[in-house]
Amino acid sequence: MTHVDPDADPDAGLLSPGRAGSPAESATSDAAVLRGLLDAEAGLTRAQAALGLAPAAAADAVTRAAADEGRFDARDLALRARPGGNPVIPLVADLTAAVAGEHAPYVHRGATSQDIMDTALMLVAARTLDGLLGDLARTESALGRLAAAHRDTVMPGRTLTQHAVPTTFGLKAAGWRCLVLDARDRLRTVRASLPVQLGGAAGTLAAFGVFGATHAGELTEAYATELGLVAPVLPWHTLRTPIADLAGALAFTAGALGKPAADVLTLSRTEIGELGEGAGGGSSAMPHKANPVRATLVAAAARRAPALAATLYASMAAEDERPAGAWHAEWEPLRDLLRLVGGAARDAAELAEGLQVHADVMREHLFTTHGLIVSERLAAELAPLLGRARAKSLLTEAARRTRAEGRTLAGILADEPDLKGVDLADLTDPIHYTGSAGALTDRALERR
């Protein structure tokens, strides 16, 4: 029996293939969170030094100690976090010991644990979003190429699982791309607004005034500059707009990527076969399988993300000036959401770049219903000739006979004396009934 070391990495991604090996995984690892915590502590001391509230030598000493990640053990910090409820408390003790001497008192001076934890998580989010946005750019580019290449590739449009009217794959891909761009825009906005947290014990910055700070926003501005984040108007210990905005943008992104994944899963079914993944996954039991694994993983992420976002939204109802439980409840779901959506963005890029479009199958399926797919067109075209009621009655009966007899709609309508001279072959050709699909695709592709 294999021995499992309880102090080894507790989450190697064994149950999370969607994020395994993705940029988001490394950007949200325990090591990355620890790096964020250390950067937040060092940045705070540097900000105070920049305003003359701490010696420059102290800022250098804290920064040097914080840069030496080998001094700090994430697992040890996790175990020692239990008495105080968060890992900042033991980290401050270890960082203070590492700095030592006359500069040790400048570690964490004036801050509270939530200042450092919130700021560190904003750093983790910023670093994760930078990679995630890169994968969205790959996805958008690939979908744009597909939309342009298949602008006029006609396929059945489907509503409520059934053939509706013809559409084009170009329009479908352009729609996917629009969703990706919508997600990109939301994530860019959030990324540009991620703030530092600095409020002190109860959001008044009182201790910093004791240390010589004369302007409430001055130190926060300096802190934000040191870390490349934004200075908030107020400390946000219980004003959780940054977390809610991040949660919303990430959940939207998961859903935006989930739409093309859902379509690929449907259209790559054996009995449909209009799409296929470039490198499908295998099966442990069936050698013939080429499963749409990338789409599967993206679809799974889209199903999980809303619940994680809901936890973050629920934590907005935080009592007092600093809460018990609400803040703590955010840490894991926020990291899970970043990982989940980051992995989905990586998989979506690979899916879009390798997607196989079987245009011949799409065309073949247009004729599956023997012309019924263009019944809307016939109703509109024949109403002026026969009258609206007569046209509807005639087409309803013709549709019934088409399904029952297996004949084409054009063939059945050709028996009607009132339709002699009408070019039924052209009217029932689905290739010629795609409306403004081409123009809409062009319009969508103008967006950059």
Side-chain angles (χ1 to χ4, degrees):
M1 182 176 181
T2 303
H3 172 69
V4 177
D5 181 0
D7 290 328
D9 182 358
D11 186 5
L14 191 62
L15 299 181
S16 308
R19 54 96 166 167
S22 69
E25 182 177 54
S26 59
T28 58
S29 66
D30 278 352
V33 174
L34 177 57
R35 179 72 269 152
L37 292 167
L38 290 167
D39 287 345
E41 290 287 5
L44 179 59
T45 309
R46 290 197 304 274
Q48 294 185 60
L51 298 179
L53 307 178
D60 291 341
V62 174
T63 298
R64 282 196 306 272
D68 186 1
E69 296 181 17
R71 292 175 179 267
F72 309 96
D73 183 270
R75 179 62 176 172
D76 178 64
L77 290 170
L79 294 172
R80 290 162 54 210
R82 287 186 54 75
N86 75 75
V88 177
I89 296 172
L91 178 67
V92 169
D94 290 356
L95 182 58
T96 301
V99 173
E102 60 181 314
H103 300 310
Y106 293 97
V107 174
H108 196 71
R109 193 174 70 149
T112 190
S113 295
Q114 190 173 352
D115 290 334
I116 301 304
M117 180 64 90
D118 280 348
T119 300
L121 290 178
M122 292 298 97
L123 286 171
V124 169
R127 292 162 183 172
T128 305
L129 291 184
D130 288 342
L132 199 163
L133 285 165
D135 281 332
L136 289 185
R138 288 174 54 200
T139 305
E140 173 272 313
S141 294
L143 292 178
R145 291 191 296 271
L146 284 170
H150 293 280
R151 177 188 186 276
D152 301 313
T153 298
V154 187
M155 65 180 295
R158 295 172 172 91
T159 63
L160 280 70
T161 77
Q162 306 295 299
H163 282 201
V165 296
T167 184
T168 67
F169 182 69
L171 182 58
K172 182 180 285 289
W176 296 346
R177 178 177 177 269
C178 281
L179 281 174
V180 173
L181 291 175
D182 289 342
R184 177 205 65 184
D185 291 349
R186 284 159 175 76
L187 288 177
R188 280 182 175 175
T189 298
V190 168
R191 171 64 181 88
S193 65
L194 293 175
V196 295
Q197 174 74 280
L198 193 62
T204 65
L205 296 164
F208 297 108
V210 174
F211 300 138
T214 58
H215 184 274
E218 189 177 38
L219 181 57
T220 305
E221 291 279 358
Y223 191 30
T225 298
E226 288 294 334
L227 296 179
L229 296 174
V230 172
V233 174
L234 294 174
W236 46 281
H237 291 149
T238 52
L239 309 174
R240 307 306 280 177
T241 301
I243 300 294
D245 285 348
L246 182 56
L250 288 168
F252 179 89
T253 300
L257 298 176
K259 161 57 177 170
D263 281 345
V264 170
L265 290 173
T266 296
L267 298 179
S268 63
R269 290 176 180 271
T270 304
E271 57 271 28
I272 299 178
E274 294 177 1
L275 296 176
E277 286 200 5
S283 164
S284 64
M286 295 167 284
H288 71 281
K289 295 293 288 295
N291 297 320
V293 175
R294 300 281 80 73
T296 297
L297 293 176
V298 175
R303 285 165 171 77
R304 289 184 57 204
L308 293 168
T311 299
L312 297 174
Y313 280 124
S315 295
M316 291 186 69
E319 74 283 357
D320 301 328
E321 280 59 58
R322 289 184 58 232
W327 163 54
H328 306 73
E330 294 172 345
W331 307 339
E332 290 177 281
L334 177 57
R335 176 159 79 167
D336 287 347
L337 193 53
L338 286 166
R339 285 178 165 180
L340 192 69
V341 180
R346 184 266 311 267
D347 287 331
E350 293 179 359
L351 173 63
E353 289 170 346
L355 192 65
Q356 297 174 342
V357 181
H358 303 303
D360 55 335
V361 178
M362 292 177 176
R363 184 184 181 93
E364 179 183 344
H365 287 165
L366 291 169
F367 301 94
T368 300
T369 57
H370 305 297
L372 293 181
I373 197 169
V374 291
S375 63
E376 178 193 63
R377 180 186 187 183
L378 286 165
E381 295 278 3
L382 297 183
L385 179 64
L386 304 177
R388 186 173 180 181
R390 167 67 176 142
K392 181 179 179 181
S393 173
L394 176 63
L395 287 169
T396 299
E397 175 60 18
R400 184 194 67 77
R401 290 181 58 193
T402 296
R403 288 189 291 266
E405 300 172 16
R407 297 172 59 197
T408 66
L409 181 61
I412 289 174
L413 291 176
D415 296 336
E416 294 295 325
D418 292 340
L419 299 182
K420 298 301 182 184
V422 175
D423 189 351
L424 293 171
D426 179 71
L427 287 179
T428 58
D429 186 349
I431 302 298
H432 299 157
Y433 191 59
T434 58
S436 298
L440 289 169
T441 301
D442 295 340
R443 181 182 179 186
L445 291 178
E446 291 175 0
R447 180 180 175 188
R448 300 299 176 191

